[in-house]
Amino acid sequence: ALETVLKQTYRNLEIFITDNSHNDKTEKMMERYINNYENIIYEHHDGFEAIDNWSRARSYNNPLAEYVNWLMDDDLFLPDKISKMVNYYLMYPDVSLVTSSRHLIDASGNRLPINAMNKPISDVTVKYDGISAGRAMFTSLNNFIGEPTTALIKKKILKNNDLGWTGKEGRYIISDFSTWMNALAQGNMIYIAEPLSCFRQHDGQDQK
């Protein structure tokens, strides 16, 4: 995952990593990256459980950053992902969410067949009205925008830099779905037909 961020053609990136492993294996692996890349910020919280680590990842906020993209440790970016998405934001000020189609891969990185989860909604890149896109996602109950790895978000539309609704709606579980709905209520969406990330499916993930 980290290597695919370091290979991004868009270079103005800050990379924040929070690690909740209960040993120092990841910390030792990270030493060479920290020594060679000034834009990496790494924290090791060996007392954190998964929920604490995810909360820390969401709470981190560089006040100078205009966009945020969460990357799960088992997913991948394709090299032009951030560059292409930022360019659409620069072209269209009314856009609050830029996403793309994505590949599904297995535990070994092999491409999985397209299914209902990642079937492209268009064969070409399209700008959608935010309200219409949100209505389509809500009524179909199909998260065609993707997982947190998939979309680049304009940070100012988030609530306190975090995923989710406004905080007044009560309990809900799927934070990416509600984040996309919140974004689409505030602006329009670019859907890039070209796959720009890979979502890994394996038996060890929470979805299973």
Side-chain angles (χ1 to χ4, degrees):
L2 176 56
E3 287 286 350
T4 67
V5 180
L6 294 172
K7 291 176 181 176
Q8 288 298 296
T9 55
Y10 186 86
R11 305 306 300 166
N12 187 22
L13 296 173
E14 180 179 73
I15 304 167
F16 174 73
I17 301 168
T18 176
D19 165 27
N20 70 318
S21 55
H22 300 314
N23 56 50
D24 62 356
K25 184 176 180 181
T26 302
E27 186 173 18
K28 288 181 177 178
M29 181 197 74
M30 284 301 304
E31 288 178 358
R32 66 185 178 93
Y33 290 103
I34 296 170
N35 292 333
N36 289 292
Y37 295 93
E38 295 181 353
N39 62 329
I40 293 179
I41 297 172
Y42 168 78
E43 296 179 357
H44 185 194
H45 303 280
D46 59 3
F48 276 11
E49 298 303 326
I51 187 63
D52 304 310
N53 205 48
W54 181 219
S55 295
R56 176 56 186 141
R58 300 195 330 266
S59 69
Y60 180 77
N61 182 15
N62 178 343
L64 299 178
E66 295 185 51
Y67 310 99
V68 60
N69 202 142
W70 290 276
L71 175 60
M72 307 300 115
D73 59 7
D74 49 1
D75 294 341
L76 309 173
F77 285 170
L78 274 68
D80 291 334
K81 180 188 194 300
I82 303 299
S83 177
K84 290 186 175 182
M85 290 187 167
V86 167
N87 282 340
Y88 279 108
Y89 275 120
L90 297 177
M91 286 191 288
Y92 300 106
D94 60 318
V95 165
S96 62
L97 181 65
V98 177
T99 189
S100 74
S101 64
R102 73 271 197 212
H103 293 307
L104 295 183
I105 56 175
D106 65 16
S108 300
N110 301 308
R111 189 90 53 85
L112 295 173
I114 293 175
N115 59 36
M117 179 180 179
N118 73 319
K119 183 179 179 181
I121 60 173
S122 173
D123 294 331
V124 295
T125 297
V126 180
K127 180 182 175 185
Y128 289 99
D129 171 74
I131 298 299
S132 299
R135 183 181 294 112
M137 190 171 76
F138 194 75
T139 55
S140 69
L141 294 180
N142 177 26
N143 181 9
F144 51 74
I145 291 174
E147 300 71 36
T149 290
T150 317
L152 181 71
I153 306 174
K154 188 176 288 186
K155 199 173 68 174
K156 70 180 183 181
I157 64 97
L158 297 172
K159 175 181 166 35
N160 298 325
N161 190 48
D162 200 1
L163 293 160
W165 296 111
T166 66
K168 300 177 182 178
E169 291 79 11
R171 296 184 63 184
Y172 54 85
I173 297 174
I174 304 176
S175 57
D176 51 1
F177 193 99
S178 52
T179 303
W180 310 153
M181 297 297 290
N182 184 31
L184 294 172
Q186 301 182 56
N188 296 322
M189 179 183 89
I190 295 290
Y191 179 87
I192 303 172
E194 172 190 2
L196 293 176
S197 60
C198 298
F199 178 65
R200 193 184 305 270
Q201 293 187 314
H202 57 91
D203 291 336
Q205 65 191 156
D206 290 343
Q207 284 190 339
K208 294 293 185 178

